[in-house]
Amino acid sequence: MIELQNLSKVYRTEDVETTALDNLNLTIHQGEFVSVMGTSGCGKSTLLNIVGMLDRPTSGAYIFRDHDISGLSEKDRAQIRKSNIGFIFQNFNLIDELTVWENVELPLHYLGIAKSARREMVDEVLERIGIAHRSRHYPRQLSGGQQQRVAVCRAVIAKPKLILADEPTGNLDSHFGQEVMELIKGLHETGTTVVMVTHSKEDAKYSERIIELYDGRIRTENQLQPNSF
Amino acid sequence: MLFGYFKIAFRNLINNKVYALISILGLAIGISGSTLIALYIQDEMSYDAYHEKADRIYRLTTILDFNGTMDVGLTNYLAGPTLMTDYPEVENFVRFYGGNGEAQITAGEHVFRETNFWITDSSIFHVFSYHLISGNPASALTAPNSVVLTQSMADKYFPETDAFGKEMKMNNTVLNVTGVMENPPANSEIPINALVSMTTLPPQFHATFGQDWFRVSFFTFLLMRNPVDPIVFDKKLVEFEKKYVQPWSEANNIVAGHEYSITAMKEVHFDNTHEYDMPKGNKNHIYIFGALALFLLFVAAINFINLMLAQQTKRAKEVGVRKTLGASSKSLILRFLAESFVVTIIAMIIGLSLSEILINPFNVISGKMLNSHALFTPMVVGTDLLILLVIGLLAGSYPAVVLSSLKPVNVLKGQVIRDDHRGLLRKALILLQFTFSMFMIAGTFLIRDQITYMHSVDLGFDRENLVSVDLPIDTANRRRIQPWIDELKNDSRIVSTSRTSLPTNGGGELMFRIEQNGKMEERAVKFLFVDDEFAEVLGLTFSKGRNFSKDHATDVTSSFIVNEKAAESFGWGNDALNKRIQWNLQPNGTAANDGVVVGVLNDFHFQSLHNALEPLVLCYNPNGGQNLSLRLTKGDYTNTLSDIETSWNEVVAGVPFSFSFYDQDLEANYTRENNMYRIFMYFASVAIVLACLGLFALLSYTIESRRKEIGIRKVLGAGNTNLSWIIAKDFVYIMLLAFCIAMPVDYYLVKNWQTEFAYTTGFNVWSYVLALLLAGLLSMIAVGYHSLKIAVSNPVDSLREE
């Protein structure tokens, strides 16, 4: 599903050049659950941003579902992103002015789905994730765990092929963290590809493969469970 | 989709109540204030625009050139009809005569004193668009003794009946009501209560005026067949003068000429350079008020834009999320613009509603008679839409463009958007705001200085305790009035009386022959007709000679009194007594009144202080004018006046007792200045309050965005004073800079304004310093509040968030 070939990302300021990703080669298959670990500044988030098409590599190729997207315009990448990828962030990134329901609805809105269909899909996912009773609340009225559940709902509402999770339990206590990981595990079990950046070894155990980055390169790669394909 | 924008905009407002209240209400107040001023300007600019033929109507005025020139708003009797005969482009003419004096109107049992009863030509309804409710416009003013009343006069004289066909009396003349017209709008150059047919004037009047090119007494309007260029037509008027006026002057031994000129109807209201003219507007005031409206709108709009900018910056995360989820830059720009418009529209609606509510109080302070229909004229609605567009765009486009161009990956990483140039923009806007506010506050103080000064100037007489009583005009009552006046003289509470109307803003000028260097020279000089008690009532003192006296039988025809200024101006120096003066000039070099100076008065201000002291000649009229002037003893004179009224009612039949206080009559000269002062005062207060509220909100934003810095500084040991200074210093510099910009502008404009007065207080720097201190004090309240907040805040809270 995802193939990164000799991928590099270099940040340049006036007098410093920082290599975040250094000739990285990585393949992630359809339906896989991959954790990316590593120390701060090792390039995990950069990797996730490039995979999520929020950022461009400096060099190298990025093949997504058999298409090289490294040369695509911002607009085209946004198009691919909104119909294929769901995001879960460490700090939830819910919009404060929108209710739970509206936050979850947002991706469907940008996909141009009709209102009646949107209503049905949002209600269904909120019910499934167990947050329907909070649908009229605003993010600030929810606990961290509840907010992340909403974020999960938003990530899966458009039935993406790929979910990118950036330290999804980083801002949660262990109880809520476990709940959220169970949710992600459930999504994976329905066939969704998951790439998760995490510091937590506990969380990483939910995945099938752990990639450890160091200074922008893959240092170790552990297959924990048999591939699902 | 629009509903969605509205929803989010609304939630944003609810979440930021203080900001929302300040920005929306501020903008609403700004819109409302500037709308009211705009209505004022529109009213001033639309004088007589309602006449359908306004673009073809011109007013004819005359510069009389004797020994020196006299520019009058009038013409003689002949100019209008002669021009129509000689020049095919002149389609018609209308003359107005005599309406600025008072007339005594008798309708049935009731007697009224009225002004604005104009004697006019029957062509008036052809030239001007006055609508007759009853009567035939073609014939209403053709027959002698015809009068057309305005609706309000008709209702007043003939309540509950139809005035048409009724009889009434103007002074001693019987008139038939041949028409009733709609009340003309208030913004009319010639205020009309009634129109009397020109043919009502006796035949000898027509005979005298109809052969004399130098009897200049008529307002004359010309209706052209097509619009003309006044400059081009004025050249034809030079020929006209040569053809008619010069031969007549030569034939009558007058060394003098006329210079005619025309003014387009739409310019007449601001054509304020003529003597003997109706009260006029002032273009300078219009510019000043226009600037005031713009300033106010600017101050409010800047508040709004600044607060919107500050608010929108907080929404970077939202933009990041939306972009990640697939929103395009275009859709985000649209969203921010739409939200900005939603908020602007809310402010606009509140602002216009406020204007509607405040229109009556505004009329009180501005002396206008605006009504709220004016809010919905195409010009006002169009301007409002333009304002809406500009503010909506300004407030929405900057955040829209900046925010929509953000990279989601940066925003979501928590990287704050750089605030440098936005901060600079905000500061520039605040600078403008405080410049405007300071300009207005200082302007208010400077206008007040001038008004206070005018009250403090020694007029050369005591303006207090003087009362002016209107005397009856009809002959029967006139005869009865002198014994009544003689009776009043026995009242110890009445110090002195005079049958002279006290001068409020000078009289006009008359043509005199004055002895200068041994020759008699013609010269137009200001004059007053006074009795022998005038000087005593007003408290004037003689520097030489004597007062008029009933004991000198020849005083009426051959004695004059002049002021010191006249003695100086005529080159008499200390030798003014017995110098020769003539008036009531006859064409052959003789004069009906030929005499000498018997007294010289110390100078006194017989005109408003807009005018410098001028030479003045007093002519003796022992029979008195239309008013009785009384000097009362100091103190409460309610009882005195009520006793006078009681005795009046016993003597005078049917005419109500009416009087005014002289100091208030004098004050009427400064109505324009007083109105301007009040408008400035109210609007400057609003502007400074808005600016300070804006500053308050912006400071809280600044502090919020610098919480971390403040926290770190506090942990490192910064004191509260130090922290307050860090926050406030930028604004202090801005205020000083605003002061430096506003001061020269004010100086220039006030100097310019003061040229309207002959006596000015100059430029009081302290008023400016006071404005700075006031603005500084108010803004320091905002800074002080925030300093206190910083002082009690715990730095750990702000640092923990990071």
Side-chain angles (χ1 to χ4, degrees), chain A residues 172-194:
Chain A
L172 301 175
D173 63 24
S174 59
H175 168 68
F176 284 130
Q178 202 178 341
E179 249 182 45
V180 166
M181 283 316 299
E182 288 297 334
L183 275 174
I184 294 174
K185 186 182 160 200
L187 293 173
H188 170 236
E189 281 165 4
T190 61
T192 312
T193 311
V194 179

PDB file of all heavy atoms in Angstrom, chain A residues 172-194:
ATOM      1  N   LEU A 172      -3.196  11.017  27.426  1.00  0.00           N
ATOM      2  CA  LEU A 172      -4.259  10.327  28.181  1.00  0.00           C
ATOM      3  C   LEU A 172      -3.644   9.511  29.311  1.00  0.00           C
ATOM      4  O   LEU A 172      -2.500   9.078  29.225  1.00  0.00           O
ATOM      5  CB  LEU A 172      -5.026   9.388  27.245  1.00  0.00           C
ATOM      6  CG  LEU A 172      -5.694  10.040  26.033  1.00  0.00           C
ATOM      7  CD1 LEU A 172      -6.319   8.975  25.142  1.00  0.00           C
ATOM      8  CD2 LEU A 172      -6.745  11.059  26.462  1.00  0.00           C
ATOM      9  N   ASP A 173      -4.435   9.311  30.378  1.00  0.00           N
ATOM     10  CA  ASP A 173      -3.927   8.421  31.427  1.00  0.00           C
ATOM     11  C   ASP A 173      -4.080   6.977  30.948  1.00  0.00           C
ATOM     12  O   ASP A 173      -4.677   6.706  29.897  1.00  0.00           O
ATOM     13  CB  ASP A 173      -4.628   8.684  32.762  1.00  0.00           C
ATOM     14  CG  ASP A 173      -6.117   8.407  32.697  1.00  0.00           C
ATOM     15  OD1 ASP A 173      -6.536   7.602  31.831  1.00  0.00           O
ATOM     16  OD2 ASP A 173      -6.880   9.006  33.474  1.00  0.00           O
ATOM     17  N   SER A 174      -3.523   6.035  31.720  1.00  0.00           N
ATOM     18  CA  SER A 174      -3.395   4.667  31.208  1.00  0.00           C
ATOM     19  C   SER A 174      -4.756   4.030  30.923  1.00  0.00           C
ATOM     20  O   SER A 174      -4.931   3.310  29.940  1.00  0.00           O
ATOM     21  CB  SER A 174      -2.610   3.802  32.196  1.00  0.00           C
ATOM     22  OG  SER A 174      -3.290   3.816  33.429  1.00  0.00           O
ATOM     23  N   HIS A 175      -5.757   4.392  31.756  1.00  0.00           N
ATOM     24  CA  HIS A 175      -7.073   3.784  31.574  1.00  0.00           C
ATOM     25  C   HIS A 175      -7.676   4.190  30.229  1.00  0.00           C
ATOM     26  O   HIS A 175      -8.062   3.354  29.405  1.00  0.00           O
ATOM     27  CB  HIS A 175      -7.985   4.209  32.726  1.00  0.00           C
ATOM     28  CG  HIS A 175      -9.418   3.900  32.508  1.00  0.00           C
ATOM     29  ND1 HIS A 175      -9.896   2.600  32.471  1.00  0.00           N
ATOM     30  CD2 HIS A 175     -10.486   4.718  32.264  1.00  0.00           C
ATOM     31  CE1 HIS A 175     -11.197   2.637  32.234  1.00  0.00           C
ATOM     32  NE2 HIS A 175     -11.569   3.912  32.103  1.00  0.00           N
ATOM     33  N   PHE A 176      -7.708   5.537  29.999  1.00  0.00           N
ATOM     34  CA  PHE A 176      -8.256   6.030  28.738  1.00  0.00           C
ATOM     35  C   PHE A 176      -7.393   5.582  27.565  1.00  0.00           C
ATOM     36  O   PHE A 176      -7.890   5.266  26.480  1.00  0.00           O
ATOM     37  CB  PHE A 176      -8.354   7.559  28.757  1.00  0.00           C
ATOM     38  CG  PHE A 176      -9.496   8.071  29.580  1.00  0.00           C
ATOM     39  CD1 PHE A 176      -9.296   9.052  30.534  1.00  0.00           C
ATOM     40  CD2 PHE A 176     -10.779   7.564  29.394  1.00  0.00           C
ATOM     41  CE1 PHE A 176     -10.354   9.528  31.291  1.00  0.00           C
ATOM     42  CE2 PHE A 176     -11.835   8.040  30.154  1.00  0.00           C
ATOM     43  CZ  PHE A 176     -11.630   9.016  31.108  1.00  0.00           C
ATOM     44  N   GLY A 177      -6.064   5.577  27.808  1.00  0.00           N
ATOM     45  CA  GLY A 177      -5.123   5.179  26.762  1.00  0.00           C
ATOM     46  C   GLY A 177      -5.455   3.779  26.260  1.00  0.00           C
ATOM     47  O   GLY A 177      -5.506   3.527  25.047  1.00  0.00           O
ATOM     48  N   GLN A 178      -5.689   2.899  27.206  1.00  0.00           N
ATOM     49  CA  GLN A 178      -5.984   1.510  26.841  1.00  0.00           C
ATOM     50  C   GLN A 178      -7.281   1.433  26.019  1.00  0.00           C
ATOM     51  O   GLN A 178      -7.345   0.722  25.013  1.00  0.00           O
ATOM     52  CB  GLN A 178      -6.126   0.684  28.115  1.00  0.00           C
ATOM     53  CG  GLN A 178      -5.894  -0.787  27.877  1.00  0.00           C
ATOM     54  CD  GLN A 178      -5.990  -1.573  29.193  1.00  0.00           C
ATOM     55  OE1 GLN A 178      -5.879  -1.004  30.283  1.00  0.00           O
ATOM     56  NE2 GLN A 178      -6.194  -2.873  29.084  1.00  0.00           N
ATOM     57  N   GLU A 179      -8.258   2.219  26.451  1.00  0.00           N
ATOM     58  CA  GLU A 179      -9.539   2.249  25.737  1.00  0.00           C
ATOM     59  C   GLU A 179      -9.346   2.636  24.274  1.00  0.00           C
ATOM     60  O   GLU A 179      -9.883   1.988  23.366  1.00  0.00           O
ATOM     61  CB  GLU A 179     -10.440   3.322  26.380  1.00  0.00           C
ATOM     62  CG  GLU A 179     -11.620   2.760  27.107  1.00  0.00           C
ATOM     63  CD  GLU A 179     -12.487   3.880  27.662  1.00  0.00           C
ATOM     64  OE1 GLU A 179     -12.754   4.875  26.907  1.00  0.00           O
ATOM     65  OE2 GLU A 179     -12.871   3.776  28.808  1.00  0.00           O
ATOM     66  N   VAL A 180      -8.547   3.695  24.084  1.00  0.00           N
ATOM     67  CA  VAL A 180      -8.330   4.203  22.729  1.00  0.00           C
ATOM     68  C   VAL A 180      -7.578   3.157  21.897  1.00  0.00           C
ATOM     69  O   VAL A 180      -7.905   2.918  20.723  1.00  0.00           O
ATOM     70  CB  VAL A 180      -7.579   5.559  22.775  1.00  0.00           C
ATOM     71  CG1 VAL A 180      -7.049   5.931  21.404  1.00  0.00           C
ATOM     72  CG2 VAL A 180      -8.492   6.641  23.308  1.00  0.00           C
ATOM     73  N   MET A 181      -6.590   2.494  22.527  1.00  0.00           N
ATOM     74  CA  MET A 181      -5.831   1.484  21.789  1.00  0.00           C
ATOM     75  C   MET A 181      -6.727   0.327  21.366  1.00  0.00           C
ATOM     76  O   MET A 181      -6.575  -0.225  20.271  1.00  0.00           O
ATOM     77  CB  MET A 181      -4.640   0.986  22.617  1.00  0.00           C
ATOM     78  CG  MET A 181      -3.454   1.939  22.662  1.00  0.00           C
ATOM     79  SD  MET A 181      -3.019   2.673  21.059  1.00  0.00           S
ATOM     80  CE  MET A 181      -2.632   1.234  20.107  1.00  0.00           C
ATOM     81  N   GLU A 182      -7.673  -0.012  22.239  1.00  0.00           N
ATOM     82  CA  GLU A 182      -8.614  -1.080  21.883  1.00  0.00           C
ATOM     83  C   GLU A 182      -9.429  -0.683  20.654  1.00  0.00           C
ATOM     84  O   GLU A 182      -9.700  -1.494  19.774  1.00  0.00           O
ATOM     85  CB  GLU A 182      -9.562  -1.383  23.055  1.00  0.00           C
ATOM     86  CG  GLU A 182      -8.903  -2.121  24.234  1.00  0.00           C
ATOM     87  CD  GLU A 182      -8.390  -3.518  23.861  1.00  0.00           C
ATOM     88  OE1 GLU A 182      -8.934  -4.129  22.912  1.00  0.00           O
ATOM     89  OE2 GLU A 182      -7.404  -3.963  24.495  1.00  0.00           O
ATOM     90  N   LEU A 183      -9.805   0.589  20.614  1.00  0.00           N
ATOM     91  CA  LEU A 183     -10.574   1.093  19.472  1.00  0.00           C
ATOM     92  C   LEU A 183      -9.769   0.960  18.185  1.00  0.00           C
ATOM     93  O   LEU A 183     -10.264   0.491  17.151  1.00  0.00           O
ATOM     94  CB  LEU A 183     -10.908   2.573  19.659  1.00  0.00           C
ATOM     95  CG  LEU A 183     -12.150   2.916  20.460  1.00  0.00           C
ATOM     96  CD1 LEU A 183     -12.236   4.436  20.649  1.00  0.00           C
ATOM     97  CD2 LEU A 183     -13.389   2.413  19.729  1.00  0.00           C
ATOM     98  N   ILE A 184      -8.478   1.366  18.268  1.00  0.00           N
ATOM     99  CA  ILE A 184      -7.636   1.329  17.077  1.00  0.00           C
ATOM    100  C   ILE A 184      -7.427  -0.118  16.638  1.00  0.00           C
ATOM    101  O   ILE A 184      -7.476  -0.456  15.442  1.00  0.00           O
ATOM    102  CB  ILE A 184      -6.293   2.041  17.351  1.00  0.00           C
ATOM    103  CG1 ILE A 184      -6.561   3.549  17.583  1.00  0.00           C
ATOM    104  CG2 ILE A 184      -5.305   1.844  16.213  1.00  0.00           C
ATOM    105  CD1 ILE A 184      -5.361   4.356  18.007  1.00  0.00           C
ATOM    106  N   LYS A 185      -7.271  -0.953  17.637  1.00  0.00           N
ATOM    107  CA  LYS A 185      -7.093  -2.387  17.341  1.00  0.00           C
ATOM    108  C   LYS A 185      -8.321  -2.913  16.594  1.00  0.00           C
ATOM    109  O   LYS A 185      -8.211  -3.630  15.602  1.00  0.00           O
ATOM    110  CB  LYS A 185      -6.888  -3.156  18.652  1.00  0.00           C
ATOM    111  CG  LYS A 185      -6.549  -4.631  18.472  1.00  0.00           C
ATOM    112  CD  LYS A 185      -6.416  -5.286  19.834  1.00  0.00           C
ATOM    113  CE  LYS A 185      -6.572  -6.790  19.705  1.00  0.00           C
ATOM    114  NZ  LYS A 185      -6.923  -7.391  21.006  1.00  0.00           N
ATOM    115  N   GLY A 186      -9.481  -2.505  17.084  1.00  0.00           N
ATOM    116  CA  GLY A 186     -10.726  -2.924  16.447  1.00  0.00           C
ATOM    117  C   GLY A 186     -10.776  -2.477  14.996  1.00  0.00           C
ATOM    118  O   GLY A 186     -11.212  -3.236  14.107  1.00  0.00           O
ATOM    119  N   LEU A 187     -10.334  -1.256  14.729  1.00  0.00           N
ATOM    120  CA  LEU A 187     -10.343  -0.747  13.362  1.00  0.00           C
ATOM    121  C   LEU A 187      -9.439  -1.575  12.470  1.00  0.00           C
ATOM    122  O   LEU A 187      -9.782  -1.928  11.338  1.00  0.00           O
ATOM    123  CB  LEU A 187      -9.839   0.710  13.329  1.00  0.00           C
ATOM    124  CG  LEU A 187     -10.719   1.744  13.998  1.00  0.00           C
ATOM    125  CD1 LEU A 187     -10.014   3.105  14.046  1.00  0.00           C
ATOM    126  CD2 LEU A 187     -12.031   1.862  13.217  1.00  0.00           C
ATOM    127  N   HIS A 188      -8.279  -1.866  13.020  1.00  0.00           N
ATOM    128  CA  HIS A 188      -7.327  -2.687  12.273  1.00  0.00           C
ATOM    129  C   HIS A 188      -7.919  -4.042  11.940  1.00  0.00           C
ATOM    130  O   HIS A 188      -7.778  -4.554  10.826  1.00  0.00           O
ATOM    131  CB  HIS A 188      -6.036  -2.844  13.097  1.00  0.00           C
ATOM    132  CG  HIS A 188      -5.102  -3.844  12.528  1.00  0.00           C
ATOM    133  ND1 HIS A 188      -4.632  -4.935  13.265  1.00  0.00           N
ATOM    134  CD2 HIS A 188      -4.577  -3.991  11.282  1.00  0.00           C
ATOM    135  CE1 HIS A 188      -3.860  -5.661  12.493  1.00  0.00           C
ATOM    136  NE2 HIS A 188      -3.803  -5.121  11.288  1.00  0.00           N
ATOM    137  N   GLU A 189      -8.651  -4.583  12.893  1.00  0.00           N
ATOM    138  CA  GLU A 189      -9.241  -5.898  12.679  1.00  0.00           C
ATOM    139  C   GLU A 189     -10.285  -5.895  11.571  1.00  0.00           C
ATOM    140  O   GLU A 189     -10.591  -6.920  10.995  1.00  0.00           O
ATOM    141  CB  GLU A 189      -9.857  -6.413  13.997  1.00  0.00           C
ATOM    142  CG  GLU A 189      -8.766  -6.955  14.920  1.00  0.00           C
ATOM    143  CD  GLU A 189      -9.244  -7.150  16.360  1.00  0.00           C
ATOM    144  OE1 GLU A 189     -10.453  -6.926  16.624  1.00  0.00           O
ATOM    145  OE2 GLU A 189      -8.405  -7.488  17.206  1.00  0.00           O
ATOM    146  N   THR A 190     -10.832  -4.697  11.292  1.00  0.00           N
ATOM    147  CA  THR A 190     -11.789  -4.642  10.172  1.00  0.00           C
ATOM    148  C   THR A 190     -11.079  -4.443   8.840  1.00  0.00           C
ATOM    149  O   THR A 190     -11.710  -4.230   7.808  1.00  0.00           O
ATOM    150  CB  THR A 190     -12.801  -3.498  10.360  1.00  0.00           C
ATOM    151  OG1 THR A 190     -12.062  -2.265  10.385  1.00  0.00           O
ATOM    152  CG2 THR A 190     -13.614  -3.647  11.619  1.00  0.00           C
ATOM    153  N   GLY A 191      -9.751  -4.415   8.876  1.00  0.00           N
ATOM    154  CA  GLY A 191      -9.020  -4.370   7.606  1.00  0.00           C
ATOM    155  C   GLY A 191      -8.339  -3.061   7.298  1.00  0.00           C
ATOM    156  O   GLY A 191      -7.718  -2.901   6.247  1.00  0.00           O
ATOM    157  N   THR A 192      -8.448  -2.089   8.190  1.00  0.00           N
ATOM    158  CA  THR A 192      -7.832  -0.788   7.930  1.00  0.00           C
ATOM    159  C   THR A 192      -6.337  -0.850   8.232  1.00  0.00           C
ATOM    160  O   THR A 192      -5.922  -1.459   9.224  1.00  0.00           O
ATOM    161  CB  THR A 192      -8.473   0.284   8.828  1.00  0.00           C
ATOM    162  OG1 THR A 192      -9.881   0.141   8.746  1.00  0.00           O
ATOM    163  CG2 THR A 192      -8.053   1.670   8.398  1.00  0.00           C
ATOM    164  N   THR A 193      -5.564  -0.233   7.362  1.00  0.00           N
ATOM    165  CA  THR A 193      -4.128  -0.134   7.611  1.00  0.00           C
ATOM    166  C   THR A 193      -3.897   0.938   8.665  1.00  0.00           C
ATOM    167  O   THR A 193      -4.504   2.011   8.589  1.00  0.00           O
ATOM    168  CB  THR A 193      -3.389   0.264   6.316  1.00  0.00           C
ATOM    169  OG1 THR A 193      -3.837  -0.588   5.268  1.00  0.00           O
ATOM    170  CG2 THR A 193      -1.888   0.179   6.487  1.00  0.00           C
ATOM    171  N   VAL A 194      -3.054   0.674   9.656  1.00  0.00           N
ATOM    172  CA  VAL A 194      -2.791   1.660  10.708  1.00  0.00           C
ATOM    173  C   VAL A 194      -1.292   1.898  10.808  1.00  0.00           C
ATOM    174  O   VAL A 194      -0.504   0.947  10.880  1.00  0.00           O
ATOM    175  CB  VAL A 194      -3.326   1.183  12.082  1.00  0.00           C
ATOM    176  CG1 VAL A 194      -3.026   2.225  13.168  1.00  0.00           C
ATOM    177  CG2 VAL A 194      -4.814   0.892  12.020  1.00  0.00           C
TER     178      VAL A 194
END
